[in-house]
């Protein structure tokens, strides 16, 4: 069973629309949470991460994510997308109990039309 | 420039012909890992290495071997490749031995096994 779930396989938006990509995980205990982005033909890059503290984290390029522990969720948001945000987005989790193991969701392909 | 390098970037081979994909990082990172990316499945961890002395299996280790003889290198070995190992492979490294911080990814190796 997939332990990190990304609910949207493909999202299509127009420029300036708001974005929210869902991510849920099924682990209890301590987790470190990440969102990575993969632009066409490129390797993965870190957008943002959550380890502890303020559950609302800000990343690069205007992205932010909110950790809601009670919902096991770490949704990614951006108020106004741009054509250059077209990419595949991956949620990833490391559990405190199994260091070294990084679990990825299946990814969400975002297409932004100009 | 701080980076993770992989070679080759593209490889077409035939079933059963042993191959090695090299991975090297110049950031003095403790942790290194291999992933494969398949459409609709996201990234799945093959093997990881917490440090030079510790290597362990990820989610999909079957058919792969790794070696961590020195800190900077972490080659992926396919002793007898099969068509189901056709995939996009990424190597990654992280400064901490648990890999629980950001992971830095290489450019990827696209492998086709005929």
């Amino acid at each position: 069973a997939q332990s990190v779930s990304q609910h949207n396989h493909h999202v299509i938006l127009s420029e300036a629309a708001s974005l929210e990509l869902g991510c849920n995980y099924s682990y209890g205990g301590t987790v470190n949470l990440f969102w990575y982005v993969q632009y066409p033909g490129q390797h993965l890059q870190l957008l943002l991460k959550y380890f502890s503290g303020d559950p609302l984290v800000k990343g690069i390029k205007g992205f932010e994510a909110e950790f809601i522990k009670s919902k096991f969720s770490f949704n990614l948001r951006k108020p106004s997308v741009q054509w250059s945000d077209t990419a595949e987005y991956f949620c990833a989790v490391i559990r405190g109990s199994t260091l070294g193991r990084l679990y990825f969701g299946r990814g969400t392909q975002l297409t932004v039309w100009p | 420039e701080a980076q993770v390098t992989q070679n080759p970037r593209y490889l077409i081979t035939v079933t059963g012909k042993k191959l090695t994909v090299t991975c090297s990082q110049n950031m003095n990172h403790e942790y290194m890992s291999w992933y494969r990316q398949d459409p609709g499945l996201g990234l799945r961890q093959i093997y990881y290495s917490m440090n030079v002395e510790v290597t362990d299996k990820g989610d999909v280790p079957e058919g792969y071997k790794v070696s961590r003889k020195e800190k900077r290198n972490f080659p992926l070995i396919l002793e007898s490749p099969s068509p189901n190992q056709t995939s996009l492979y990424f190597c990654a490294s992280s400064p901490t031995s648990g890999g629980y911080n950001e992971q830095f990814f290489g450019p990827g190796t696209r492998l086709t096994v005929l």
Side-chain angles (χ1 to χ4, degrees), chain A residues 43-101:
Chain A
H43 60 282
L44 276 76
Q45 304 169 45
L46 183 71
L47 267 183
L48 48 78
K49 60 188 178 186
Y50 173 79
F51 290 174
S52 63
D54 188 343
L56 185 62
V57 294
K58 295 190 183 299
I60 61 171
K61 304 186 180 185
F63 286 91
E64 64 178 32
E66 184 175 13
F67 170 55
I68 303 179
K69 189 174 182 179
S70 61
K71 295 185 177 180
F72 297 88
S73 70
F74 189 55
N75 292 353
L76 181 71
R77 298 195 292 249
K78 186 172 185 179
S80 176
V81 295
Q82 301 173 310
W83 175 80
S84 57
D85 293 325
T86 294
E88 191 157 18
Y89 293 80
F90 294 95
C91 181
V93 176
I94 275 193
R95 307 164 62 183
S97 60
T98 55
L99 291 179
R101 297 294 311 276

Side-chain angles (χ1 to χ4, degrees), chain A residues 2 9 32 34 36 38 42-44 46 49 51 88 90 94 99-107, chain B residues 31 35 37 40-43 45 48 50 57-59 88 90 98-103 105-107:
Chain A
Q2 192 74 13
H9 179 62
N32 288 357
F34 307 84
Y36 284 89
Q38 185 177 31
Q42 297 189 24
H43 60 282
L44 276 76
L46 183 71
K49 60 188 178 186
F51 290 174
E88 191 157 18
F90 294 95
I94 275 193
L99 291 179
R101 297 294 311 276
L102 183 61
Y103 299 93
F104 281 88
R106 295 187 177 187
Chain B
Y31 173 98
Y35 302 87
Q37 183 180 15
L41 296 178
L43 279 84
Q45 195 169 29
Y48 63 97
M50 303 276 260
K57 298 176 181 178
D59 289 320
L88 179 59
F90 288 101
Y100 53 81
N101 212 320
E102 173 185 359
Q103 294 194 19
F105 286 81

